[in-house]
Amino acid sequence: MAILKIARMGHPVLRQRAAEITDVTAPAIRQLIADMLETMEDADGAGLAAPQVHVPLRLVMFHVPAHRASGTGEDQPAGLTVLINPVVDPLGPEKAMGWEGCLSVPGMVGSVPRFERIQYRGFTPDGQLVQRTASGFHARVVQHECDHLDGILYPMRMTDMSLFGFADEMTRRHREVEEAARD
Ligand code: NI
């Protein structure tokens, strides 16, 4: 296990489309997952995508802590989920604004429009297909992480740049920002 270096906005690995993983259960993928888990825990992040550790492959991991999910409808907490070759489909056109941060954009937060409800699927490290419907924070985390696989960082999704700033400045004005800064 190893803590990996996290790429920051401006590095080309964060701007490219990541490649599909052909052998989901390969030892090298297992090792990458173990190292990413350690990296995500060390950074206290809610999620991490492989391009953020300089590996341009379609692999994400995330968790939805109980205090972040509203608990209503499909916005439910989720334990640690590792998804290989994930696909996200919006369920309806509705979007909601919410605060996001990113380990690749350290110290910053922004309010980002995301689809309110989604369906997503992908493979677990054992090669099992997972399919879930999610809304709220759960849906937001999945969209944020999967965007990394297509070279998209959250500031590129923002529609109101007045809601982008340094976390410590924004926290004084918006209490809910505090948690987002660590994602
Ligand atoms: Ni991110």
Side-chain angles (χ1 to χ4, degrees):
M1 301 253 285
I3 294 172
L4 305 172
K5 188 177 178 202
I6 295 176
R8 293 180 306 159
M9 184 167 66
H11 193 292
V13 74
L14 295 172
R15 288 202 296 268
Q16 69 187 79
R17 186 183 185 281
E20 261 80 22
I21 293 173
T22 46
D23 184 357
V24 167
T25 58
I29 298 300
R30 201 177 307 259
Q31 183 63 50
L32 172 63
I33 291 168
D35 289 345
M36 282 178 61
L37 281 174
E38 195 175 359
T39 304
M40 185 174 77
E41 280 168 18
D42 177 69
D44 198 18
L48 191 66
Q52 291 184 276
V53 293
H54 304 83
V55 178
L57 292 176
R58 303 187 83 77
L59 190 157
V60 300
M61 57 183 57
F62 57 88
H63 59 105
V64 181
H67 68 285
R68 303 292 297 274
S70 69
T72 54
E74 292 148 344
D75 186 15
Q76 296 296 332
L80 177 72
T81 302
V82 177
L83 284 182
I84 297 168
N85 300 336
V87 175
V88 178
D89 291 312
L91 295 174
E94 295 81 15
K95 290 189 177 182
M97 299 294 286
W99 293 98
E100 296 185 20
C102 181
L103 296 174
S104 295
V105 192
M108 310 292 289
V109 289
S111 187
V112 187
R114 297 285 187 189
F115 289 108
E116 178 59 29
R117 288 186 73 227
I118 60 166
Q119 188 171 72
Y120 67 92
R121 61 182 187 278
F123 291 94
T124 68
D126 319 322
Q128 302 291 312
L129 183 67
V130 173
Q131 182 160 307
R132 291 181 188 154
T133 302
S135 67
F137 180 76
H138 188 162
R140 177 172 297 279
V141 170
V142 173
Q143 290 172 83
H144 176 119
E145 297 310 327
C146 291
D147 261 359
H148 278 297
L149 307 182
D150 292 324
I152 298 168
L153 297 174
Y154 78 81
M156 296 157 70
R157 294 284 191 196
M158 290 183 64
T159 48
D160 181 354
M161 292 307 284
S162 73
L163 298 175
F164 182 52
F166 290 98
D168 52 0
E169 294 284 354
M170 301 295 259
T171 302
R172 294 177 201 166
R173 293 157 186 85
H174 308 273
R175 275 175 53 185
E176 66 276 20
V177 166
E178 207 163 333
E179 292 251 34
R182 295 203 299 267
D183 291 347

